[in-house]
Amino acid sequence: AAAADAAAIDISPLHLPVLTDEVIRHWLAPDLAAADEEVYLVDATVGGGGHAEVALEAYPRARLLAIDRDADVLADARARLARFGDRVAFFHGSYADLADALRLYGFPH
């Protein structure tokens, strides 16, 4: 029975973001949380999506463009951020492709 229980556990790696308070305080403006307008954020190296998740939780009016050049990692971020629905757009590419990604998803640039 223990082997069956172990097989049911998802052991895929989960990115645990560090310095999340610092990200919110310094990378993102704290007053964005109270913004009346939609806020646009870009995580150009989304990785596992940990910091993106923190930002989306902190800023309920935010839309996020998640970019990564590793398709497998981007798929992991897509799964992690699925609960945010259409607030997140995913782009397989490099941050060097930022202008194209912004245009594709209708983000201001």
Side-chain angles (χ1 to χ4, degrees):
D5 290 340
I9 297 171
D10 182 344
I11 58 171
S12 62
L14 179 64
H15 171 71
L16 298 176
V18 296
L19 302 172
T20 55
D21 290 339
E22 289 78 2
V23 167
I24 297 301
R25 268 198 324 270
H26 301 291
W27 180 53
L28 301 170
D31 59 343
L32 289 179
D36 290 334
E37 299 176 9
E38 200 164 47
V39 175
Y40 294 88
L41 305 173
V42 175
D43 189 337
T45 54
V46 72
H51 287 102
E53 181 178 45
V54 169
L56 289 163
E57 288 172 346
Y59 304 106
R61 301 223 3 109
R63 288 189 60 211
L64 177 89
L65 176 57
I67 301 172
D68 208 285
R69 63 185 185 167
D70 183 323
D72 293 333
V73 169
L74 192 61
D76 291 342
R78 185 183 304 272
R80 182 177 195 152
L81 302 175
R83 67 186 170 109
F84 297 103
D86 64 359
R87 291 179 54 205
V88 186
F90 297 90
F91 183 81
H92 179 227
S94 166
Y95 54 81
D97 303 317
L98 180 58
D100 293 335
L102 291 171
R103 259 189 305 281
L104 179 67
Y105 290 104
F107 275 52
H109 56 287

